[in-house]
Amino acid sequence: MPVTIRPLTPVFAGEVSGVDCAEPLGADEVAAVEAGMDKYAVLVFRGQDLSDEQQIAFTQHFGELEAYKTAGHIRKNVDARVGPGIADFSNLDKDGNIIEVEDRVWSFKLGDRLWHSDSSFRPVPAKYSLLSGRVIPSWGANTEFADMRAAYDALDARAKAEVEDLVCLHSLIYSREAIGFIELTDDERTAFHPVRQRLVRTHPVTGRRSLFLASHAGAIEGWTIPEARMFLRDLTEHATQREFVYSHEWRVGDLVMWDNRQTMHRARRFDDRNEVRDVRRTTLAGDAATIEQVSEHQGLTVEAR
Ligand SMILES: [Fe+2]
């Protein structure tokens, strides 16, 4: 069956037909999905009833799984509900009960409701993320995506020149501070040490430029913190205007795949005290640090491979 993609918005996001994510893909199918990701940046696969192993195997068609020793620090003393290679983004504890609202693991997870790009707080941020919907609540819990290429394109010339060479500092400390989660252990502060990321990225295949924003960004090199925070807030408002956003309404069996290099996303509210949301994420490692990209002003633009 040929792979076809139906656009979900005028600017990005597509719904894929003709792919069974539970089965090994042929080279043509992998190429079609990759081309779809380059073009749409977010792809939706409906009706995919996947085990964790099948989701991991599907993900590995597109690169290497992200693996960091520091992953899971906040819950390092908590038994995981899922095995290695896949991450639990549910509101459940290891026994399958809804996490208590007072639990710091829950407070930490709430930070995912701010706009972000996965792993932008790591030296080499993630390529794709793939989230599968296993149990979906009856109300809310959409995932919203913003097309950061369209956001970049819509900047005026003055703003484009201003952002061109800026380097931001990203850390989980900044995004959690934004929701009042400030009680971190010394180990966590060490693990969340800020990393440098360029504010403008160039896609390694298409050459399209995009804004690399996230709630994890809390400083701009050479700027005062208040100046940086206000500018980043303004840019985020600009980038998340409705015309640049796709809001995914989940159904059980959805697999949603997004390119963190070209999009931001956020989770939306649901009745997390009374309903279960079980979604699981696999993540692909990025190719290179954004900081290795050389500005067009300085010569060639290269984001390694
Ligand atoms: Fe995320």
Side-chain angles (χ1 to χ4, degrees):
M1 195 170 160
V3 178
T4 56
I5 302 175
R6 176 177 73 85
L8 292 167
T9 80
V11 289
F12 80 127
E15 185 175 320
V16 180
S17 305
V19 175
D20 181 351
C21 302
E23 296 294 326
L25 300 188
D28 288 357
E29 291 173 306
V30 172
V33 171
E34 277 189 330
M37 286 297 288
D38 291 344
K39 181 173 178 183
Y40 293 100
V42 178
L43 291 179
V44 175
F45 304 78
R46 300 278 193 187
Q48 309 290 336
D49 180 17
L50 299 175
S51 66
D52 290 351
E53 293 70 26
Q54 288 168 329
Q55 182 174 340
I56 290 168
F58 179 77
T59 303
Q60 287 173 320
H61 284 114
F62 308 100
E64 302 279 329
L65 295 179
E66 188 180 67
Y68 278 94
K69 287 201 180 100
T70 55
H73 23 260
I74 284 280
R75 26 189 342 167
K76 68 183 173 194
N77 298 322
V78 179
D79 290 337
R81 207 170 57 86
V82 300
I86 192 159
D88 179 6
F89 279 79
S90 73
N91 59 333
L92 300 175
D93 66 18
K94 66 176 175 23
D95 300 319
N97 299 315
I98 291 177
I99 302 173
E100 297 290 334
V101 76
E102 295 83 8
D103 192 323
R104 72 195 299 270
V105 169
W106 181 247
S107 295
F108 188 82
K109 279 173 173 257
L110 282 174
D112 289 339
R113 297 189 189 177
L114 298 172
W115 286 105
H116 66 282
S117 174
D118 291 334
S119 299
S120 78
F121 50 84
R122 301 193 191 281
V124 177
K127 182 187 178 191
Y128 301 163
S129 295
L130 295 87
L131 194 63
S132 70
R134 312 293 177 87
V135 178
I136 301 299
S138 62
W139 171 83
N142 281 18
T143 304
E144 294 184 342
F145 297 92
D147 185 344
M148 305 304 284
R149 306 164 303 178
Y152 175 82
D153 291 347
L155 293 175
D156 62 22
R158 181 193 175 93
K160 279 181 181 155
E162 197 171 16
V163 296
E164 176 70 24
D165 293 321
L166 293 181
V167 172
C168 298
L169 297 181
H170 290 233
S171 167
L172 283 162
I173 295 171
Y174 300 135
S175 52
R176 271 47 194 178
E177 182 184 278
I179 58 166
F181 186 101
I182 51 175
E183 288 167 16
L184 297 173
T185 65
D186 289 345
D187 282 355
E188 286 162 356
R189 287 196 181 274
T190 303
F192 301 161
H193 185 75
V195 300
R196 303 171 75 219
Q197 305 289 3
R198 292 193 70 95
L199 183 47
V200 178
R201 299 187 71 168
T202 303
H203 191 274
V205 176
T206 66
R208 281 193 76 180
R209 296 162 83 70
S210 57
L211 287 175
F212 193 47
L213 288 169
S215 55
H216 307 310
I220 299 174
E221 286 185 351
W223 292 37
T224 66
I225 292 288
E227 275 183 309
R229 297 273 171 101
M230 278 316 306
F231 189 51
L232 291 168
R233 188 177 284 214
D234 278 354
L235 285 175
T236 300
E237 261 181 43
H238 162 80
T240 55
Q241 296 173 73
R242 280 292 119 185
E243 62 189 290
F244 305 142
V245 171
Y246 165 64
S247 184
H248 183 71
E249 204 168 308
W250 285 90
R251 296 180 209 154
V252 173
D254 285 351
L255 180 72
V256 181
M257 181 173 182
W258 63 90
D259 188 339
N260 288 294
R261 302 168 302 182
Q262 312 194 79
T263 58
M264 272 203 300
H265 60 280
R266 65 173 175 178
R268 301 296 278 157
R269 296 174 62 226
F270 67 102
D271 185 1
D272 53 51
R273 297 300 93 212
N274 296 299
E275 290 201 77
V276 171
R277 178 176 191 244
D278 186 353
V279 293
R280 300 182 189 197
R281 194 183 91 192
T282 40
T283 313
L284 286 176
D287 293 330
T290 63
I291 217 71
E292 289 172 17
Q293 173 188 295
V294 177
S295 158
E296 277 178 350
H297 284 170
Q298 298 161 359
L300 275 181
T301 296
V302 279
E303 190 170 10
R305 289 184 286 167

